[in-house]
Amino acid sequence: MNASSRGLDLDRIVAVLGEASVALEILGENPFKVRAYAGAARALDALDADLDTLIAEKRLTDIKGIGKGLAEKIVDLRRDGADPEIDLLMRRVPSGIFEMLAIPGFGPKKAKAVWEKLGVTTVGELEYACNENRLIELPGFGEKTQEKILVGIRALARYAGRRLRARAADEAARLLAFVESHPSVVRAAVAGSFRRGLETVKDIDLVASSADPTAVMAAFVKADGVEEVIGAGSTKASVRLASGLQADLRVVGDDEFPHTLHHFTGSKAHNIELRSYAKKKGFALNEYALTRGDETIRVADERELYATLGLAYIPPELREGHGEIAVAARGGRPWSDLIAPADITGIFHCHTVASDGKNTLEEMAAACRDRGWAYLGVSDHSRAASYAGGLSIDELARQGEEADRVMERFPGLTIYKGIESDILPDGSLDYPDDVLDKLDFVIASVHSGFVADEKKMTDRIVTAVKNPFTTMLGHLTGRLLLTREGYPVNVPKIIEACAEHRVAIELNANPHRLDLDWRHLRAAVDAGVVIAVNPDAHRIAGLDHVAEGVMAARKGGLAPRHVLNAWAPAAVAQWLKGKR
Ligand code: DGT
Ligand code: CA
Ligand code: ZN
């Protein structure tokens, strides 16, 4: 028999049978069937006869381990490239599950457990679940396994396309320090989407000035962590780092530096708009220089570049081509008032060992004090979140007493007693009113019962916003960056409801979330909604995510006055009281 052009070759057939066996195991099907598929895959893999001959002579069943049913499937795969029964089977298992199996030490049994017990169906969700300590509770797992899985996931992520900005930060800093340390380098900076504070980045762009670019290039391609040199010319080098990230370095003369830095900071949309604006003003702007007629205009830095063009300085975070040039040209808001990490006066949304956090309330309190913060809003999971150790009414009351004790030990630190309440399917909160009434604040979040119906989801959230006990709305869309789209919701409608009912909106600062997206923040604050930059910390280190959140807030153009936890502590206290 001659296979049609759609038919699979032997290797692919082996792979399909192997995957089918895994799918059967994950679905909990008959173990004999699981083994039959795996056995057939192995037998074909070891085949030394010609497959097409065996098929033509109907001798497939002569192979040990291949029965009549499987022989028919192999014929289908060889002839049509597919088999109906295997297709049906594969459709029952989310494709992300198979990607998980690439994690070392993570087999079908573990995949089955996390899918069934935690609803995890992608590598990204699995990573998130590990970070939230969800795996240690599962039978057959433990702290060590969880840690191993995390290491495995990082290894997998090495060659994926984009990555979280936070994941590139260490390497960006290290490479910048390396370039800056070169004796001939005058100035150097990280550019690109990283500098603009975008939530994900494709690569690391670096720009440097030097009188000896060749020497800088030669050093750069030999830097620690460089695994492969993709290209190296006289002014540009591209390398692949051991982490899988690509890094590009451009080296120019120091006169050109502000222009080159500006160009490679982008964004492309901002660059294109700025060039056409410059042209209208009689200038010509490119990546090396600003000129007017025959005259080359030297600028010391980017500030001078914008000033020369008659524009207010536009910080990198705002250079997205979202109308910022028009604002700067109108002499509109100068962005020197953008929020910075030092403006943060305290934090809300912090978990402890009482639910699924790693540290005690006391440890979290000490960490907040160490960071110079005046208050900590503790909000463990509510009782419906049984998978996350949600608090019973009694446990919540005990945490309140614990908070009082801890506060005595940390004078100057206020602990606001709160809860991260699940928004139940009907939009109600997870405790009776008299329990909620005793709390200082309530974060209402959707954690389960995601539905694809935008209207239903929006109504559910708006119902929670209308609840007089809701103080703020947690991670509004439920997205996980690079992993899972948020559930469909009508964000403008929710913003409107929050404005009307004086509910703050969280900017969840976890680098996987950064939810609400910065692209919506402007509309929220323009409607009068207050934003809370919340770390959603599950351990002490998680508190520092607040810096990522502040970066996203800057991209949204927010000033401290727009951000609840950048207000003076007394104003925060008053706002919370005003809600009640
Ligand atoms: P990424 O890498 O996808 O996270 O985002 P970027 O913005 O870092 O993009 P990248 O690395 O491709 O290029 C860096 C900057 O170079 C970009 O922000 C603006 C500038 N650039 C790149 N291509 C063009 C272009 O075709 N026209 C203009 N005007 N600028 C460009
Ligand atoms: Ca880039
Ligand atoms: Zn949380």
Side-chain angles (χ1 to χ4, degrees):
M1 163 191 131
N2 278 322
S4 75
S5 58
R6 288 155 59 215
L8 302 183
D9 63 20
L10 185 63
D11 284 349
R12 280 297 303 148
I13 296 172
V14 169
V16 167
L17 293 176
E19 282 178 4
S21 150
V22 167
L24 288 164
E25 184 170 359
I26 288 172
L27 292 165
E29 301 273 328
N30 183 337
F32 291 106
K33 202 167 168 186
V34 174
R35 264 178 260 144
Y37 273 78
R42 265 198 310 276
L44 280 191
D45 201 23
L47 190 69
D48 46 20
D50 176 57
L51 180 64
D52 288 337
T53 310
L54 287 175
I55 290 174
E57 295 174 358
K58 300 197 183 340
R59 287 198 295 118
L60 268 180
T61 48
D62 290 357
I63 305 173
K64 193 168 177 298
I66 296 183
K68 196 163 159 292
L70 275 163
E72 281 166 14
K73 293 195 171 53
I74 293 166
V75 172
D76 283 350
L77 293 171
R78 180 66 187 137
R79 188 186 53 216
D80 308 329
D83 169 80
E85 197 187 323
I86 294 180
D87 279 354
L88 273 181
L89 168 68
M90 297 308 283
R91 245 174 275 153
R92 290 167 62 202
V93 182
S95 60
I97 300 264
F98 291 98
E99 286 160 28
M100 283 191 228
L101 296 173
I103 301 166
F106 197 89
K109 276 199 188 62
K110 291 206 164 63
K112 182 174 183 338
V114 298
W115 182 22
E116 274 176 2
K117 300 274 190 321
L118 306 173
V120 163
T121 57
T122 65
V123 174
E125 284 172 349
L126 182 64
E127 180 178 18
Y128 199 81
C130 288
N131 281 328
E132 294 206 333
N133 291 317
R134 295 266 193 279
L135 267 61
I136 53 181
E137 306 296 332
L138 294 185
F141 289 76
E143 182 118 27
K144 274 216 184 88
T145 318
Q146 177 172 281
E147 203 43 49
K148 254 173 70 186
I149 291 170
L150 267 180
V151 172
I153 291 174
R154 301 228 165 93
L156 266 194
R158 284 181 45 170
Y159 295 105
R162 300 186 74 78
R163 69 187 61 202
L164 298 180
R165 179 183 185 277
R167 260 307 131 64
D170 286 350
E171 263 176 325
R174 205 169 47 73
L175 281 177
L176 177 62
F178 178 84
V179 171
E180 278 177 331
S181 74
H182 191 275
S184 81
V185 165
V186 185
R187 290 188 267 184
V190 179
S193 49
F194 186 89
R195 181 166 182 237
R196 299 200 311 280
L198 208 59
E199 57 275 18
T200 65
V201 301
K202 178 194 67 192
D203 53 17
I204 299 173
D205 302 285
L206 294 147
V207 178
S209 66
S210 161
D212 190 0
T214 321
V216 182
M217 291 298 167
F220 179 68
V221 297
K222 291 200 195 83
D224 262 1
V226 169
E227 208 166 73
E228 181 195 341
V229 180
I230 299 164
S234 55
T235 64
K236 180 187 162 178
S238 290
V239 299
R240 176 154 330 270
L241 305 168
S243 67
L245 253 184
Q246 185 177 323
D248 295 350
L249 170 68
R250 275 108 181 159
V251 187
V252 294
D254 199 55
D255 284 346
E256 295 162 333
F257 182 80
H259 301 284
T260 309
L261 174 62
H262 180 271
H263 174 83
F264 288 107
T265 297
S267 65
K268 190 171 164 182
H270 178 86
N271 287 354
I272 291 170
E273 212 182 311
L274 193 66
R275 281 181 190 193
S276 80
Y277 176 86
K279 206 166 159 194
K280 270 191 265 155
K281 298 267 159 181
F283 295 92
L285 177 65
N286 67 26
E287 62 192 273
Y288 301 110
L290 177 68
T291 52
R292 187 167 40 197
D294 296 337
E295 181 197 3
T296 296
I297 300 161
R298 294 272 165 242
V299 297
D301 53 24
E302 285 181 330
R303 268 173 206 283
E304 234 181 272
L305 174 61
Y306 283 106
T308 308
L309 293 170
L311 294 171
Y313 176 67
I314 303 175
E317 293 91 337
L318 290 170
R319 300 181 198 163
E320 294 291 349
H322 290 180
E324 66 278 5
I325 293 173
V327 175
R330 262 192 269 118
R333 177 172 164 204
W335 288 282
S336 52
D337 64 348
L338 284 188
I339 185 169
D343 294 322
I344 295 297
T345 53
I347 55 108
F348 293 93
H349 203 161
C350 151
H351 296 265
T352 73
V353 287
S355 68
D356 59 350
K358 269 274 200 184
N359 293 100
T360 62
L361 181 56
E362 176 159 6
E363 288 162 349
M364 292 308 254
C368 287
R369 178 206 51 196
D370 293 348
R371 285 160 179 74
W373 292 333
Y375 51 91
L376 151 65
V378 60
S379 58
D380 271 307
H381 287 287
S382 66
R383 55 189 181 169
S386 53
Y387 56 89
L391 272 52
S392 69
I393 293 177
D394 280 351
E395 287 166 334
L396 188 56
R398 279 205 295 279
Q399 184 174 66
E401 292 159 16
E402 187 188 357
D404 291 332
R405 284 196 301 275
V406 172
M407 262 192 283
E408 275 174 28
R409 251 167 275 153
F410 296 94
L413 184 78
T414 303
I415 297 180
Y416 290 120
K417 301 166 189 172
I419 194 76
E420 179 178 18
S421 171
D422 271 24
I423 299 177
L424 303 180
D426 67 355
S428 57
L429 299 180
D430 200 9
Y431 298 100
D433 287 358
D434 64 310
V435 173
L436 297 172
D437 195 33
K438 291 194 191 91
L439 298 171
D440 297 317
F441 74 103
V442 173
I443 304 175
S445 309
V446 172
H447 281 119
S448 57
F450 298 164
V451 286
D453 181 327
E454 179 181 307
K455 184 168 176 336
K456 270 195 195 136
M457 209 60 181
T458 305
D459 288 350
R460 178 177 169 189
I461 294 173
V462 168
T463 302
V465 169
K466 286 181 179 160
N467 189 311
F469 292 104
T470 300
T471 317
M472 48 183 96
L473 214 47
H475 46 73
L476 200 154
T477 73
R479 77 170 177 188
L480 290 180
L481 288 164
L482 303 177
T483 294
R484 172 175 94 195
E485 300 285 320
Y487 31 77
V489 282
N490 185 332
V491 174
K493 209 167 160 190
I494 294 172
I495 287 176
E496 197 186 304
C498 287
E500 186 184 340
H501 297 277
R502 239 178 131 254
V503 167
I505 293 179
E506 166 179 281
L507 196 183
N508 189 298
N510 186 303
H512 291 270
R513 291 192 183 269
L514 297 172
D515 182 9
L516 187 62
D517 189 284
W518 59 268
R519 294 162 189 83
H520 288 298
L521 294 181
R522 210 48 246 178
V525 298
D526 284 348
V529 175
V530 172
I531 304 296
V533 178
N534 292 348
D536 195 357
H538 285 74
R539 63 189 73 204
I540 288 170
L543 292 169
D544 297 322
H545 288 152
V546 92
E548 298 294 324
V550 167
M551 182 64 99
R554 289 171 65 87
K555 286 196 80 62
L558 303 198
R561 65 180 178 280
H562 302 124
V563 175
L564 175 66
N565 53 320
W567 296 355
V572 176
Q574 204 177 1
W575 188 86
L576 288 176
K577 275 210 197 83
K579 264 305 287 180
R580 285 290 138 92

